[in-house]
Coordinates of all heavy atoms in Angstrom, one line a residue:
M135 N -70.0 -11.1 -14.2 CA -70.0 -10.1 -15.2 C -68.9 -10.4 -16.3 O -67.9 -10.9 -15.9 CB -69.8 -8.7 -14.6 CG -69.9 -7.6 -15.5 SD -70.7 -6.3 -14.6 CE -70.7 -5.0 -15.7
Y136 N -69.1 -10.0 -17.5 CA -68.2 -10.3 -18.6 C -67.6 -9.0 -19.1 O -68.2 -7.9 -19.0 CB -68.8 -11.1 -19.7 CG -70.1 -10.5 -20.2 CD1 -70.0 -9.5 -21.2 CD2 -71.3 -10.8 -19.8 CE1 -71.2 -8.9 -21.7 CE2 -72.5 -10.3 -20.3 CZ -72.4 -9.3 -21.3 OH -73.5 -8.7 -21.8
S137 N -66.5 -9.1 -19.7 CA -65.8 -8.0 -20.3 C -66.5 -7.5 -21.6 O -66.9 -8.4 -22.4 CB -64.3 -8.4 -20.6 OG -63.6 -7.4 -21.2
I138 N -66.5 -6.3 -21.8 CA -67.1 -5.7 -23.1 C -66.0 -4.9 -23.8 O -66.2 -3.7 -24.0 CB -68.3 -4.9 -22.8 CG1 -69.4 -5.6 -22.0 CG2 -69.0 -4.4 -24.1 CD1 -70.7 -4.9 -21.7
D139 N -65.0 -5.6 -24.3 CA -64.0 -4.9 -25.0 C -63.5 -5.7 -26.2 O -62.4 -5.5 -26.6 CB -62.9 -4.5 -24.1 CG -62.4 -5.6 -23.2 OD1 -62.8 -6.7 -23.4 OD2 -61.5 -5.3 -22.3
F140 N -64.3 -6.6 -26.6 CA -63.9 -7.4 -27.8 C -64.3 -6.6 -29.1 O -65.1 -5.7 -29.0 CB -64.6 -8.8 -27.8 CG -64.0 -9.8 -26.9 CD1 -64.3 -9.8 -25.6 CD2 -63.1 -10.7 -27.4 CE1 -63.8 -10.7 -24.7 CE2 -62.5 -11.6 -26.5 CZ -62.9 -11.6 -25.2
Y141 N -63.8 -7.0 -30.2 CA -64.1 -6.4 -31.5 C -64.0 -7.4 -32.6 O -63.5 -8.5 -32.4 CB -63.2 -5.2 -31.8 CG -61.7 -5.5 -31.7 CD1 -61.0 -6.1 -32.8 CD2 -61.0 -5.3 -30.5 CE1 -59.7 -6.4 -32.7 CE2 -59.6 -5.6 -30.5 CZ -59.0 -6.1 -31.6 OH -57.6 -6.4 -31.5
V142 N -64.6 -7.1 -33.7 CA -64.5 -7.9 -35.0 C -63.8 -7.1 -36.0 O -64.0 -5.9 -36.2 CB -65.9 -8.3 -35.4 CG1 -65.9 -9.0 -36.8 CG2 -66.7 -9.1 -34.4
Y143 N -62.8 -7.7 -36.7 CA -62.0 -7.0 -37.6 C -61.8 -7.9 -38.9 O -62.1 -9.0 -38.9 CB -60.6 -6.7 -37.0 CG -59.8 -7.9 -36.7 CD1 -58.8 -8.4 -37.5 CD2 -60.0 -8.6 -35.5 CE1 -58.0 -9.5 -37.2 CE2 -59.2 -9.7 -35.1 CZ -58.3 -10.2 -36.0 OH -57.5 -11.3 -35.7
I144 N -61.3 -7.2 -39.9 CA -60.9 -7.9 -41.2 C -59.5 -7.5 -41.6 O -59.1 -6.4 -41.2 CB -61.9 -7.5 -42.3 CG1 -61.9 -6.0 -42.6 CG2 -63.3 -8.1 -42.1 CD1 -62.7 -5.6 -43.9
H145 N -58.9 -8.4 -42.2 CA -57.6 -8.1 -42.9 C -57.9 -8.2 -44.4 O -58.6 -9.1 -44.8 CB -56.5 -9.1 -42.5 CG -56.0 -8.9 -41.1 ND1 -55.3 -9.9 -40.5 CD2 -56.1 -7.9 -40.3 CE1 -54.9 -9.4 -39.3 NE2 -55.4 -8.2 -39.1
Y146 N -57.4 -7.3 -45.2 CA -57.6 -7.3 -46.6 C -56.3 -6.9 -47.3 O -55.4 -6.2 -46.7 CB -58.8 -6.4 -47.1 CG -58.6 -5.0 -46.7 CD1 -58.1 -4.0 -47.6 CD2 -59.1 -4.5 -45.4 CE1 -58.0 -2.7 -47.2 CE2 -59.0 -3.2 -45.1 CZ -58.4 -2.3 -46.0 OH -58.3 -0.9 -45.6
T147 N -56.1 -7.4 -48.5 CA -54.9 -7.1 -49.2 C -54.8 -5.6 -49.6 O -55.8 -5.0 -49.9 CB -54.8 -8.0 -50.5 OG1 -55.9 -7.7 -51.4 CG2 -54.8 -9.5 -50.2
K148 N -53.5 -5.1 -49.6 CA -53.3 -3.7 -49.9 C -53.6 -3.4 -51.4 O -54.1 -2.4 -51.7 CB -51.9 -3.3 -49.6 CG -51.7 -2.8 -48.2 CD -50.3 -2.2 -48.0 CE -50.2 -1.6 -46.6 NZ -48.9 -1.0 -46.4
D149 N -53.2 -4.4 -52.2 CA -53.2 -4.1 -53.7 C -54.6 -4.3 -54.2 O -55.2 -3.4 -54.9 CB -52.2 -4.9 -54.4 CG -52.2 -6.4 -54.2 OD1 -53.1 -6.9 -53.3 OD2 -51.4 -7.1 -54.7
T150 N -55.3 -5.4 -53.9 CA -56.6 -5.7 -54.5 C -57.8 -5.4 -53.6 O -58.9 -5.5 -54.0 CB -56.7 -7.2 -55.0 OG1 -56.6 -8.0 -53.8 CG2 -55.6 -7.6 -55.9
K151 N -57.5 -5.1 -52.3 CA -58.5 -4.9 -51.3 C -59.4 -6.1 -51.1 O -60.5 -6.0 -50.5 CB -59.4 -3.7 -51.7 CG -58.7 -2.4 -52.2 CD -57.8 -1.9 -51.0 CE -57.2 -0.5 -51.5 NZ -55.9 -0.4 -51.2
E152 N -58.9 -7.3 -51.4 CA -59.7 -8.5 -51.1 C -59.6 -8.9 -49.7 O -58.5 -9.0 -49.1 CB -59.1 -9.6 -52.0 CG -59.8 -11.0 -51.8 CD -59.3 -12.1 -52.7 OE1 -58.3 -11.8 -53.4 OE2 -59.8 -13.2 -52.5
I153 N -60.7 -9.2 -49.1 CA -60.8 -9.6 -47.7 C -60.3 -11.0 -47.6 O -60.8 -11.9 -48.4 CB -62.2 -9.5 -47.1 CG1 -62.7 -8.1 -47.1 CG2 -62.3 -10.2 -45.7 CD1 -64.2 -8.0 -46.8
F154 N -59.3 -11.3 -46.8 CA -58.8 -12.7 -46.7 C -58.8 -13.2 -45.2 O -58.5 -14.4 -45.0 CB -57.4 -12.8 -47.2 CG -56.3 -12.0 -46.4 CD1 -55.6 -12.7 -45.5 CD2 -56.0 -10.7 -46.7 CE1 -54.6 -12.0 -44.7 CE2 -55.1 -10.0 -46.0 CZ -54.4 -10.7 -45.0
Y155 N -59.2 -12.4 -44.3 CA -59.3 -12.8 -42.9 C -60.3 -12.0 -42.2 O -60.4 -10.8 -42.3 CB -57.9 -12.7 -42.2 CG -57.9 -13.3 -40.9 CD1 -57.7 -14.6 -40.7 CD2 -58.1 -12.5 -39.7 CE1 -57.7 -15.2 -39.4 CE2 -58.1 -13.1 -38.5 CZ -57.9 -14.4 -38.3 OH -57.9 -15.0 -37.1
V156 N -61.1 -12.7 -41.4 CA -62.1 -12.1 -40.5 C -61.8 -12.7 -39.1 O -61.6 -13.9 -39.0 CB -63.6 -12.5 -40.9 CG1 -64.6 -12.0 -39.9 CG2 -63.9 -12.0 -42.3
G157 N -61.8 -11.8 -38.1 CA -61.4 -12.3 -36.8 C -62.1 -11.5 -35.7 O -62.7 -10.4 -35.9
K158 N -62.1 -12.1 -34.5 CA -62.6 -11.4 -33.3 C -61.4 -11.2 -32.5 O -60.5 -12.1 -32.5 CB -63.7 -12.1 -32.6 CG -63.3 -13.3 -31.8 CD -64.4 -13.8 -30.9 CE -64.1 -15.0 -30.2 NZ -63.0 -14.8 -29.1
G159 N -61.3 -10.2 -31.7 CA -60.1 -9.9 -30.9 C -60.4 -9.1 -29.7 O -61.4 -8.6 -29.5
I160 N -59.3 -9.0 -28.9 CA -59.3 -8.2 -27.7 C -57.9 -7.6 -27.7 O -56.9 -8.2 -28.2 CB -59.6 -9.0 -26.5 CG1 -59.9 -8.2 -25.3 CG2 -58.6 -10.1 -26.2 CD1 -60.5 -8.9 -24.1
N161 N -57.8 -6.4 -27.1 CA -56.5 -5.7 -27.0 C -55.9 -5.5 -28.4 O -56.6 -5.0 -29.2 CB -55.5 -6.5 -26.0 CG -56.1 -6.6 -24.6 OD1 -56.7 -5.7 -24.1 ND2 -55.8 -7.8 -24.0
N162 N -54.7 -6.0 -28.6 CA -54.0 -5.7 -29.9 C -54.0 -6.8 -30.9 O -53.2 -6.9 -31.8 CB -52.6 -5.3 -29.6 CG -52.4 -4.0 -28.9 OD1 -53.2 -3.1 -29.2 ND2 -51.5 -3.9 -28.0
R163 N -54.9 -7.8 -30.7 CA -55.0 -9.0 -31.6 C -55.0 -8.6 -33.1 O -54.3 -9.2 -33.9 CB -56.1 -9.9 -31.2 CG -56.3 -11.1 -32.1 CD -55.0 -12.0 -32.1 NE -55.2 -13.1 -33.0 CZ -54.2 -13.7 -33.6 NH1 -52.9 -13.3 -33.4 NH2 -54.4 -14.7 -34.4
A164 N -55.8 -7.7 -33.5 CA -56.0 -7.4 -34.9 C -54.6 -6.9 -35.5 O -54.4 -7.1 -36.7 CB -57.0 -6.3 -35.1
Y165 N -53.8 -6.3 -34.7 CA -52.5 -5.8 -35.2 C -51.4 -6.8 -35.1 O -50.3 -6.5 -35.6 CB -52.2 -4.5 -34.4 CG -53.3 -3.5 -34.4 CD1 -54.3 -3.5 -33.5 CD2 -53.3 -2.5 -35.4 CE1 -55.3 -2.6 -33.5 CE2 -54.3 -1.6 -35.5 CZ -55.3 -1.6 -34.6 OH -56.3 -0.7 -34.6
S166 N -51.6 -7.9 -34.4 CA -50.5 -8.8 -34.2 C -50.3 -9.8 -35.3 O -51.2 -10.2 -36.0 CB -50.9 -9.7 -32.9 OG -49.9 -10.7 -32.7
K167 N -49.0 -10.1 -35.6 CA -48.7 -11.1 -36.6 C -48.3 -12.5 -35.9 O -48.0 -13.4 -36.6 CB -47.5 -10.6 -37.4 CG -47.8 -9.4 -38.2 CD -46.6 -9.0 -39.1 CE -46.9 -7.8 -40.0 NZ -45.8 -7.4 -40.8
V168 N -48.5 -12.5 -34.6 CA -48.2 -13.8 -33.9 C -49.4 -14.7 -34.0 O -50.5 -14.3 -34.0 CB -48.0 -13.4 -32.4 CG1 -47.8 -14.7 -31.5 CG2 -46.8 -12.5 -32.2
K169 N -49.1 -16.0 -34.1 CA -50.0 -17.1 -34.2 C -51.0 -17.0 -35.4 O -52.2 -17.2 -35.3 CB -50.9 -17.2 -32.9 CG -50.0 -17.6 -31.7 CD -50.9 -17.8 -30.5 CE -50.0 -18.2 -29.3 NZ -50.7 -18.4 -28.1
R170 N -50.4 -16.6 -36.5 CA -51.2 -16.6 -37.8 C -50.8 -17.9 -38.5 O -49.7 -18.3 -38.5 CB -50.8 -15.4 -38.6 CG -51.1 -14.0 -37.9 CD -52.6 -13.9 -37.7 NE -52.9 -12.6 -37.1 CZ -54.1 -12.1 -36.8 NH1 -55.1 -12.9 -37.0 NH2 -54.3 -11.0 -36.2
N171 N -51.7 -18.4 -39.3 CA -51.5 -19.6 -40.0 C -50.8 -19.4 -41.4 O -50.5 -18.3 -41.8 CB -52.8 -20.4 -40.2 CG -53.8 -19.7 -41.1 OD1 -53.4 -18.9 -42.0 ND2 -55.1 -20.0 -40.9
K172 N -50.4 -20.5 -42.0 CA -49.7 -20.5 -43.3 C -50.4 -19.7 -44.4 O -49.8 -18.9 -45.1 CB -49.3 -21.9 -43.7 CG -48.5 -21.9 -44.9 CD -48.1 -23.4 -45.3 CE -47.2 -23.4 -46.5 NZ -46.9 -24.7 -46.9
F173 N -51.7 -19.9 -44.4 CA -52.6 -19.2 -45.4 C -52.4 -17.7 -45.2 O -52.2 -17.0 -46.2 CB -54.0 -19.6 -45.3 CG -55.0 -18.8 -46.1 CD1 -55.2 -19.1 -47.4 CD2 -55.7 -17.8 -45.5 CE1 -56.0 -18.3 -48.2 CE2 -56.6 -17.0 -46.3 CZ -56.7 -17.3 -47.6
W174 N -52.5 -17.2 -44.0 CA -52.4 -15.8 -43.7 C -51.1 -15.3 -44.1 O -51.0 -14.2 -44.8 CB -52.7 -15.6 -42.2 CG -52.8 -14.1 -41.8 CD1 -53.9 -13.4 -41.7 CD2 -51.7 -13.2 -41.4 NE1 -53.6 -12.1 -41.3 CE2 -52.3 -12.0 -41.1 CE3 -50.3 -13.4 -41.3 CZ2 -51.5 -10.9 -40.7 CZ3 -49.6 -12.3 -40.9 CH2 -50.2 -11.1 -40.6
W175 N -50.0 -16.0 -43.8 CA -48.7 -15.5 -44.1 C -48.4 -15.5 -45.6 O -47.8 -14.6 -46.2 CB -47.6 -16.4 -43.4 CG -47.4 -15.9 -42.0 CD1 -47.8 -16.5 -40.9 CD2 -46.7 -14.7 -41.6 NE1 -47.4 -15.8 -39.8 CE2 -46.8 -14.6 -40.2 CE3 -46.1 -13.7 -42.3 CZ2 -46.2 -13.6 -39.5 CZ3 -45.6 -12.6 -41.6 CH2 -45.6 -12.6 -40.2
N176 N -49.0 -16.5 -46.3 CA -48.8 -16.5 -47.8 C -49.4 -15.3 -48.4 O -48.8 -14.7 -49.3 CB -49.4 -17.8 -48.4 CG -48.6 -19.0 -48.1 OD1 -47.4 -19.0 -47.9 ND2 -49.2 -20.2 -48.2
I177 N -50.6 -14.9 -48.0 CA -51.3 -13.7 -48.5 C -50.5 -12.5 -48.2 O -50.2 -11.6 -49.0 CB -52.7 -13.6 -48.0 CG1 -53.6 -14.8 -48.4 CG2 -53.4 -12.3 -48.3 CD1 -53.9 -14.9 -49.9
V178 N -50.1 -12.3 -46.9 CA -49.4 -11.1 -46.5 C -48.0 -11.0 -47.2 O -47.7 -9.9 -47.6 CB -49.2 -11.2 -44.9 CG1 -48.3 -10.1 -44.4 CG2 -50.6 -11.0 -44.2
N179 N -47.3 -12.1 -47.3 CA -46.0 -12.0 -48.0 C -46.2 -11.6 -49.5 O -45.3 -11.0 -50.0 CB -45.3 -13.4 -47.9 CG -44.8 -13.6 -46.5 OD1 -44.5 -12.7 -45.7 ND2 -44.6 -14.9 -46.1
K180 N -47.2 -12.0 -50.1 CA -47.4 -11.7 -51.5 C -48.0 -10.3 -51.7 O -47.7 -9.6 -52.6 CB -48.3 -12.7 -52.1 CG -48.5 -12.5 -53.6 CD -49.3 -13.7 -54.2 CE -49.4 -13.5 -55.7 NZ -50.2 -14.6 -56.4
H181 N -49.0 -9.9 -50.8 CA -49.8 -8.7 -51.1 C -49.7 -7.6 -50.0 O -50.1 -6.5 -50.2 CB -51.3 -9.0 -51.2 CG -51.6 -10.0 -52.3 ND1 -51.7 -9.6 -53.6 CD2 -51.8 -11.3 -52.2 CE1 -52.0 -10.7 -54.3 NE2 -52.0 -11.8 -53.5
D182 N -49.1 -7.9 -48.9 CA -49.2 -7.1 -47.7 C -50.7 -6.9 -47.3 O -51.5 -7.5 -47.9 CB -48.5 -5.7 -47.9 CG -48.0 -5.1 -46.6 OD1 -48.2 -5.6 -45.5 OD2 -47.5 -4.0 -46.7
Y183 N -51.0 -6.2 -46.2 CA -52.3 -6.1 -45.8 C -52.7 -4.8 -45.0 O -51.8 -4.1 -44.6 CB -52.7 -7.3 -44.9 CG -52.1 -7.3 -43.5 CD1 -53.0 -6.9 -42.4 CD2 -50.8 -7.5 -43.2 CE1 -52.5 -6.8 -41.1 CE2 -50.3 -7.4 -41.9 CZ -51.2 -7.1 -40.9 OH -50.7 -7.0 -39.6
C184 N -53.9 -4.6 -45.0 CA -54.5 -3.5 -44.2 C -55.5 -4.1 -43.3 O -56.0 -5.3 -43.5 CB -55.2 -2.5 -45.1 SG -54.1 -1.7 -46.2
L185 N -55.9 -3.4 -42.3 CA -57.0 -3.9 -41.4 C -58.0 -2.9 -41.1 O -57.8 -1.7 -41.2 CB -56.4 -4.5 -40.1 CG -55.9 -3.5 -39.0 CD1 -57.0 -3.1 -38.1 CD2 -54.8 -4.1 -38.3
K186 N -59.2 -3.4 -40.7 CA -60.3 -2.5 -40.4 C -61.1 -3.1 -39.3 O -61.4 -4.3 -39.3 CB -61.2 -2.2 -41.6 CG -62.3 -1.3 -41.3 CD -63.1 -0.9 -42.5 CE -64.1 0.1 -42.2 NZ -64.8 0.6 -43.4
I187 N -61.3 -2.3 -38.2 CA -62.1 -2.8 -37.1 C -63.6 -2.5 -37.5 O -63.9 -1.3 -37.8 CB -61.8 -2.0 -35.8 CG1 -60.3 -2.1 -35.4 CG2 -62.7 -2.5 -34.7 CD1 -59.8 -3.5 -35.1
L188 N -64.4 -3.5 -37.6 CA -65.8 -3.3 -38.0 C -66.8 -3.0 -36.9 O -67.7 -2.3 -37.0 CB -66.3 -4.6 -38.8 CG -65.5 -4.9 -40.0 CD1 -66.0 -6.2 -40.7 CD2 -65.5 -3.8 -41.1
Y189 N -66.6 -3.8 -35.8 CA -67.4 -3.6 -34.6 C -66.5 -3.6 -33.4 O -65.6 -4.3 -33.3 CB -68.4 -4.8 -34.5 CG -69.2 -5.1 -35.7 CD1 -68.9 -6.0 -36.6 CD2 -70.4 -4.3 -36.0 CE1 -69.6 -6.3 -37.8 CE2 -71.1 -4.5 -37.1 CZ -70.7 -5.5 -38.0 OH -71.5 -5.8 -39.1
S190 N -66.9 -2.8 -32.4 CA -66.1 -2.7 -31.2 C -67.0 -2.6 -30.0 O -68.2 -2.5 -30.1 CB -65.1 -1.5 -31.2 OG -65.8 -0.3 -31.4
N191 N -66.3 -2.7 -28.8 CA -67.0 -2.6 -27.5 C -68.1 -3.7 -27.4 O -69.2 -3.4 -27.0 CB -67.7 -1.2 -27.3 CG -68.0 -0.9 -25.9 OD1 -67.3 -1.4 -25.0 ND2 -69.0 -0.2 -25.6
L192 N -67.7 -4.9 -27.7 CA -68.6 -6.1 -27.7 C -68.2 -7.0 -26.5 O -67.1 -7.1 -26.1 CB -68.5 -6.8 -29.0 CG -68.7 -6.0 -30.3 CD1 -68.3 -6.9 -31.5 CD2 -70.2 -5.6 -30.4
S193 N -69.2 -7.8 -26.1 CA -68.9 -9.0 -25.3 C -68.3 -10.0 -26.2 O -68.4 -10.0 -27.4 CB -70.2 -9.6 -24.7 OG -71.0 -10.1 -25.7
E194 N -67.6 -11.0 -25.6 CA -67.0 -12.1 -26.4 C -68.0 -12.8 -27.2 O -67.8 -13.2 -28.4 CB -66.1 -13.0 -25.6 CG -65.4 -14.0 -26.4 CD -64.5 -14.9 -25.6 OE1 -64.6 -15.0 -24.4 OE2 -63.5 -15.5 -26.2
E195 N -69.2 -13.1 -26.6 CA -70.2 -13.8 -27.2 C -70.8 -13.1 -28.5 O -70.9 -13.7 -29.5 CB -71.4 -14.1 -26.3 CG -72.5 -14.9 -26.9 CD -73.7 -15.1 -25.9 OE1 -73.6 -14.6 -24.8 OE2 -74.6 -15.8 -26.3
K196 N -71.0 -11.8 -28.3 CA -71.5 -11.0 -29.4 C -70.4 -10.9 -30.5 O -70.8 -11.0 -31.7 CB -71.9 -9.6 -29.0 CG -72.5 -8.7 -30.0 CD -73.8 -9.2 -30.5 CE -74.4 -8.2 -31.5 NZ -75.6 -8.7 -32.1
A197 N -69.2 -10.8 -30.2 CA -68.1 -10.7 -31.2 C -68.0 -12.0 -31.9 O -67.9 -12.0 -33.2 CB -66.8 -10.4 -30.5
F198 N -68.1 -13.1 -31.3 CA -68.1 -14.4 -31.9 C -69.3 -14.6 -32.9 O -69.1 -15.0 -34.0 CB -68.1 -15.6 -30.9 CG -68.2 -16.9 -31.5 CD1 -67.1 -17.5 -32.1 CD2 -69.4 -17.7 -31.5 CE1 -67.1 -18.7 -32.7 CE2 -69.4 -18.9 -32.1 CZ -68.3 -19.4 -32.7
L199 N -70.5 -14.2 -32.5 CA -71.6 -14.3 -33.4 C -71.5 -13.4 -34.6 O -71.8 -13.8 -35.7 CB -72.9 -13.9 -32.6 CG -73.3 -14.9 -31.5 CD1 -74.5 -14.3 -30.7 CD2 -73.7 -16.2 -32.1
L200 N -71.0 -12.2 -34.4 CA -70.8 -11.3 -35.6 C -69.7 -11.8 -36.5 O -69.9 -11.7 -37.7 CB -70.4 -9.9 -35.1 CG -71.6 -9.1 -34.5 CD1 -71.1 -7.8 -33.8 CD2 -72.6 -8.7 -35.6
E201 N -68.6 -12.3 -35.9 CA -67.6 -12.9 -36.8 C -68.1 -14.0 -37.6 O -67.9 -14.1 -38.8 CB -66.4 -13.4 -35.8 CG -65.3 -14.1 -36.6 CD -64.4 -14.9 -35.6 OE1 -65.0 -15.5 -34.7 OE2 -63.2 -15.0 -35.9
K202 N -68.8 -14.9 -37.0 CA -69.4 -16.1 -37.7 C -70.4 -15.7 -38.8 O -70.3 -16.2 -39.9 CB -70.1 -16.9 -36.6 CG -70.7 -18.2 -37.2 CD -71.3 -19.0 -36.0 CE -71.9 -20.3 -36.5 NZ -72.5 -21.1 -35.4
E203 N -71.2 -14.7 -38.5 CA -72.2 -14.2 -39.5 C -71.4 -13.5 -40.7 O -71.8 -13.7 -41.8 CB -73.1 -13.2 -38.9 CG -74.3 -12.8 -39.7 CD -75.3 -13.9 -40.1 OE1 -75.3 -14.9 -39.3 OE2 -75.9 -13.8 -41.1
L204 N -70.4 -12.7 -40.4 CA -69.7 -12.1 -41.4 C -69.0 -13.1 -42.3 O -69.0 -13.0 -43.6 CB -68.7 -11.1 -40.8 CG -67.8 -10.3 -41.8 CD1 -68.7 -9.4 -42.7 CD2 -66.9 -9.4 -41.0
I205 N -68.4 -14.1 -41.8 CA -67.7 -15.1 -42.6 C -68.8 -15.8 -43.5 O -68.5 -16.0 -44.7 CB -67.0 -16.1 -41.7 CG1 -65.8 -15.5 -41.0 CG2 -66.6 -17.4 -42.5 CD1 -65.1 -16.3 -39.9
K206 N -69.9 -16.2 -42.9 CA -71.0 -16.8 -43.6 C -71.4 -16.0 -44.8 O -71.5 -16.4 -46.0 CB -72.1 -17.1 -42.7 CG -73.3 -17.7 -43.4 CD -74.4 -17.9 -42.3 CE -75.8 -18.2 -43.0 NZ -76.9 -18.2 -42.0
N207 N -71.6 -14.7 -44.6 CA -72.1 -13.8 -45.7 C -71.0 -13.6 -46.7 O -71.3 -13.5 -47.9 CB -72.5 -12.4 -45.1 CG -73.7 -12.5 -44.3 OD1 -74.5 -13.4 -44.4 ND2 -73.9 -11.5 -43.4
L208 N -69.7 -13.5 -46.3 CA -68.7 -13.3 -47.3 C -68.5 -14.6 -48.2 O -68.3 -14.5 -49.4 CB -67.3 -13.0 -46.6 CG -67.3 -11.6 -46.0 CD1 -66.0 -11.5 -45.2 CD2 -67.3 -10.5 -47.1
K209 N -68.7 -15.8 -47.6 CA -68.6 -17.0 -48.3 C -69.8 -17.1 -49.3 O -69.6 -17.5 -50.4 CB -68.6 -18.2 -47.4 CG -67.3 -18.5 -46.7 CD -67.3 -19.7 -45.9 CE -66.0 -19.9 -45.2 NZ -66.0 -21.1 -44.4
A210 N -70.9 -16.6 -48.9 CA -72.1 -16.7 -49.7 C -72.0 -15.9 -51.0 O -72.5 -16.2 -52.0 CB -73.4 -16.2 -48.9
I211 N -71.3 -14.8 -50.9 CA -71.1 -13.9 -52.1 C -69.7 -14.2 -52.8 O -69.3 -13.4 -53.7 CB -71.3 -12.4 -51.8 CG1 -70.3 -11.9 -50.8 CG2 -72.7 -12.2 -51.4 CD1 -70.4 -10.4 -50.5
G212 N -69.0 -15.2 -52.3 CA -67.8 -15.6 -52.9 C -66.5 -14.8 -52.6 O -65.5 -14.8 -53.3
L213 N -66.6 -14.0 -51.5 CA -65.5 -13.1 -51.2 C -64.5 -13.8 -50.2 O -63.5 -13.2 -49.9 CB -65.9 -11.8 -50.7 CG -66.6 -10.9 -51.7 CD1 -67.0 -9.6 -51.0 CD2 -65.6 -10.6 -52.8
A214 N -64.9 -14.9 -49.6 CA -64.1 -15.5 -48.6 C -63.9 -17.0 -49.0 O -64.8 -17.6 -49.6 CB -64.7 -15.5 -47.2
K215 N -62.7 -17.4 -48.9 CA -62.3 -18.8 -49.2 C -62.3 -19.6 -48.0 O -61.9 -19.2 -46.9 CB -60.9 -18.8 -49.9 CG -60.9 -18.0 -51.2 CD -59.5 -17.9 -51.8 CE -59.5 -17.1 -53.1 NZ -59.9 -15.8 -53.0
A216 N -62.7 -20.9 -48.1 CA -62.6 -21.8 -47.0 C -61.1 -22.0 -46.7 O -60.3 -22.1 -47.6 CB -63.3 -23.1 -47.4
N217 N -60.8 -22.1 -45.5 CA -59.4 -22.1 -45.0 C -59.2 -23.3 -44.1 O -60.0 -23.6 -43.3 CB -59.1 -20.8 -44.4 CG -57.8 -20.7 -43.8 OD1 -57.0 -21.6 -43.8 ND2 -57.6 -19.5 -43.2

């Protein structure tokens, strides 16, 4: 049996509301600043950020699929940058 407590979240800039990060997480990952890359830190240091949980109570597999699809859709409309 697998755990059903994953979620998919976004981070977006406080000032422009631009989405700059899509992730899947468990527990407090969406709120954590640990293990973030240089791109993430550059955006946060310049603009600060907000977060929103988009989907919750998911299996890890479903969370991964939703994360992947969301990134694909955001790139298609030009709202996500390759990183």
Side-chain angles (χ1 to χ4, degrees):
M135 187 142 175
Y136 54 84
S137 177
I138 305 184
D139 50 6
F140 283 84
Y141 54 85
V142 176
Y143 65 97
I144 58 170
H145 287 164
Y146 58 94
T147 59
K148 271 192 174 179
D149 53 1
T150 64
K151 310 297 186 226
E152 181 180 359
I153 298 168
F154 67 93
Y155 187 83
V156 176
K158 75 169 179 67
I160 192 169
N161 301 324
N162 292 323
R163 176 60 181 151
Y165 304 90
S166 176
K167 293 182 178 182
V168 176
K169 295 186 181 179
R170 299 295 182 179
N171 64 27
K172 185 177 179 181
F173 171 81
W174 189 91
W175 278 107
N176 286 340
I177 297 293
V178 170
N179 287 334
K180 185 174 182 180
H181 302 278
D182 206 358
Y183 77 103
C184 297
L185 74 91
K186 183 172 185 174
I187 306 292
L188 300 177
Y189 306 100
S190 59
N191 198 31
L192 304 170
S193 68
E194 184 174 22
E195 180 181 8
K196 182 67 175 175
F198 177 74
L199 292 173
L200 286 169
E201 174 196 37
K202 186 176 175 180
E203 187 67 23
L204 184 57
I205 291 168
K206 177 182 166 187
N207 291 338
L208 289 170
K209 283 183 180 179
I211 61 173
L213 291 179
K215 297 173 177 64
N217 171 2

